[in-house]
Amino acid sequence: GQPGGIGLSAFRFNIGGGTAEQGDSSGIKDAARRVECFLSPGGTYDWNKQKGYTWLLQQAKHYGVENLIAFVNSPPVQFTKNGLGYKTEKDYTSNLREDKYTAYADFLAAVMTHFDKIHLHFNYISPVNEPQWDWSNKWGEASQEGSAWTNTEIFNAVKAVSTALHTNKLSTRILVTEAGTLEHLYGAGGKAAAQVQAFFNPASKLYIGGLPNTTPYVEGHGYFTETSDARMTEIRNRLKDTLAAYGRDLEFWQSEYCMLGDGFKDGAKGSRSAMDCALFLAKVINTDFTEGNATAWHYWNAFEPGRADSNTRYYLVALNPHRATDTARLYTITKNVWALGHYSLFVRPGMYRVSTSRSDGLSNIAAQQQVMISAFTNLQTGSIVVNMINYTEHDAQAGIMLEGTDSPFALKNSYVTTAGEGDNLKPHHVKSQPEKGTFSVVLPARSINTFIFKRH
């Protein structure tokens, strides 16, 4: 009865810009961060490129991942102003040459067509990633592919990609913003700011609503927005209110997050345990859902070499190639996997979040250091999923009352993740009978819990 995985429903694939072929002359020191490009400078396509990326994509599809998402950090280097996969000038404009917008769009359409032919359909594509950053250091080097973009340049790119997808009769839809911070979606400064107002206000000259293959999804990255519980809550509420002002159909997608900043330490000094990281991750997910009203949530990234000082904050799976003496020790599954799994495995595409209230009088901000709750329902089956995070150092007893239902419920399953070895989405046999409509449950100290209720 213990899940062997976390049921991911989305997987992102990076369409490379060709820095791997450039080698050391790419300006990207770490060879692992250079990426091949399907399109050669001579104009021919080589679909044997990015073999490892494609293999992972095939595995995701094999395991039933519903949504495949393509994203681009840099256009092919032969289309860029400086011939590199990142911008070197500090003017915060695109590295794509002005005469290559159509060529860039045709390239992306060709990639989408190829993957459709091999039965790896991309539901979505992001032609621009984190347009607010300049991507290079003072020595003209970069840690990865990337390009800044202005809002006007983003609109021009989206318009070109929209035309190319429509012309080629492709159903892949465009994710437009992919902002480097959530604040840039509704405000902040620079040439790629207030993106909701720029792209989703019908009165804006950059409005994308009438373009084919576009979406009402507003994507942003939550890095550095959780330095305090109050700041995390305020930013997500401002974003939610901004989306509501420009149309009920707009949806917030948290499209990239890991504990890149130091907010995960919650004011503590020194390193944090794997469970501390997992609990903070669960808190961010909970806040994105309940305060930001997010309808999708993506973690960055799946795996990378482990770091001695990382507190497991950067990844789900740590690779241990230099320490491994046998296959079993080649990787370490972090507690972050199971924290994410409490949401990805049980909160499935098509479900709806339902409102919750609490009787202890705690504000939303104060609750982020105590017990947090979110709940979701499957309208077809009527089942209800309740996720509860006990952030405290002691066990907590809670009563769950399901109001507004027209038939009785039973607590069918419950799962818990704690710091204990093997306590990873572990079936938690709660002996709970409803008393006057309330299910009494015990939440272990420093734990993430899922309760599944089904109708009698």
Side-chain angles (χ1 to χ4, degrees):
Q2 186 164 358
I6 62 171
L8 296 179
S9 56
F11 187 85
R12 295 174 80 213
F13 176 94
N14 178 20
I15 301 175
T19 52
E21 289 87 345
Q22 291 180 319
D24 291 343
S25 63
S26 67
I28 300 174
K29 286 188 175 182
D30 186 350
R33 291 178 175 265
R34 304 168 191 162
V35 193
E36 295 177 334
C37 184
F38 294 117
L39 180 63
S40 71
T44 59
Y45 284 89
D46 183 352
W47 301 117
N48 289 315
K49 295 292 181 72
Q50 295 195 251
K51 276 189 174 182
Y53 289 71
T54 302
W55 183 88
L56 286 168
L57 193 67
Q58 290 167 334
Q59 297 306 303
K61 183 72 173 180
H62 171 73
Y63 281 104
V65 174
E66 293 97 323
N67 292 288
L68 302 182
I69 303 170
F71 73 100
V72 186
N73 286 322
S74 169
V77 293
Q78 58 266 39
F79 296 162
T80 63
K81 294 174 182 176
N82 58 11
L84 297 172
Y86 60 92
K87 189 71 184 289
T88 49
E89 291 181 279
K90 303 290 186 178
D91 58 3
Y92 294 90
T93 64
S94 175
N95 201 24
L96 180 64
R97 286 167 44 187
E98 287 82 357
D99 62 340
K100 291 298 182 181
Y101 278 79
T102 298
Y104 178 44
D106 289 342
F107 161 72
L108 295 180
V111 175
M112 296 299 96
T113 299
H114 163 72
F115 280 101
D116 272 356
K117 288 180 179 178
I118 61 173
H119 308 293
L120 291 171
H121 173 69
F122 284 105
N123 303 74
Y124 305 100
I125 184 170
S126 297
V128 169
N129 183 62
E130 296 191 339
Q132 292 80 17
W133 310 143
D134 58 22
W135 294 106
S136 62
N137 59 27
K138 62 182 179 181
W139 298 286
E141 302 168 329
S143 60
Q144 66 169 77
E145 295 182 354
S147 174
W149 299 76
T150 69
N151 280 344
T152 299
E153 291 168 336
I154 294 171
F155 174 79
N156 291 335
V158 168
K159 187 175 181 180
V161 174
S162 170
T163 298
L165 294 175
H166 184 68
T167 300
N168 287 276
K169 297 181 173 57
L170 295 165
S171 61
T172 300
R173 301 171 69 194
I174 305 168
L175 302 174
V176 176
T177 52
E178 213 68 63
T181 75
L182 301 183
E183 293 166 292
H184 281 93
L185 290 173
Y186 60 79
K191 299 178 180 179
Q195 294 192 293
V196 173
Q197 297 90 320
F199 301 124
F200 299 100
N201 180 359
S204 170
K205 64 180 180 179
L206 304 181
Y207 179 62
I208 56 92
L211 298 176
N213 296 71
T214 55
T215 69
Y217 308 138
V218 180
E219 316 81 41
H221 301 173
Y223 303 123
F224 309 112
T225 61
E226 19 64 311
T227 50
S228 71
D229 293 337
R231 173 174 162 79
M232 178 161 53
T233 301
E234 177 191 3
I235 287 173
R236 283 147 182 84
N237 272 285
R238 288 192 63 182
L239 175 57
K240 177 176 62 179
D241 293 343
T242 302
L243 263 63
Y246 291 99
R248 292 183 61 185
D249 64 328
L250 296 183
E251 298 181 23
F252 161 45
W253 279 22
Q254 171 65 267
S255 54
E256 205 176 289
Y257 176 78
C258 73
M259 290 159 273
L260 196 58
D262 286 337
F264 78 103
K265 293 184 177 180
D266 256 339
K269 295 182 179 180
S271 63
R272 301 291 277 164
S273 72
M275 191 63 204
D276 289 334
C277 292
L279 282 161
F280 188 84
L281 174 60
K283 175 163 71 170
V284 173
I285 296 173
N286 182 82
T287 307
D288 281 331
F289 283 147
T290 60
E291 303 292 338
N293 210 21
T295 59
W297 207 96
H298 304 149
Y299 190 81
W300 179 273
N301 56 1
F303 61 86
E304 65 178 61
R307 307 180 192 181
D309 62 344
S310 68
N311 305 276
T312 73
R313 57 176 162 155
Y314 297 116
Y315 40 74
L316 299 177
V317 177
L319 304 182
N320 312 315
H322 301 299
R323 292 180 291 172
T325 56
D326 57 80
T327 303
R329 294 184 60 221
L330 282 173
Y331 59 88
T332 299
I333 299 174
T334 73
K335 287 287 183 178
N336 296 336
V337 168
W338 311 110
L340 179 58
H342 277 274
Y343 298 88
S344 59
L345 188 60
F346 304 113
V347 183
R348 303 303 302 168
M351 292 178 69
Y352 285 79
R353 188 171 64 84
V354 296
S355 62
T356 62
S357 60
R358 56 195 307 139
S359 61
D360 57 10
L362 289 180
S363 69
N364 292 353
I365 295 174
Q368 290 178 343
Q369 294 295 326
Q370 299 293 323
V371 173
M372 292 163 269
I373 182 171
S374 57
F376 307 82
T377 184
N378 182 323
L379 294 183
Q380 292 182 335
T381 66
S383 63
I384 294 177
V385 173
V386 178
N387 281 332
M388 301 184 77
I389 307 163
N390 182 4
Y391 217 65
T392 73
E393 300 287 348
H394 52 79
D395 293 354
Q397 186 164 343
I400 302 174
M401 179 181 292
L402 305 178
E403 297 181 329
T405 58
D406 55 7
S407 61
F409 278 80
L411 177 56
K412 292 296 185 181
N413 303 95
S414 59
Y415 302 88
V416 64
T417 296
T418 74
E421 186 176 354
D423 281 0
N424 305 318
L425 284 176
K426 185 178 180 179
H428 189 207
H429 301 293
V430 179
K431 295 180 180 179
S432 176
Q433 295 296 326
E435 298 179 7
K436 297 181 180 180
T438 300
F439 295 86
S440 180
V441 298
V442 175
L443 312 175
R446 303 292 283 170
S447 68
I448 309 167
N449 305 264
T450 296
F451 304 98
I452 301 175
F453 297 89
K454 295 184 178 180
R455 296 184 188 275
H456 276 308

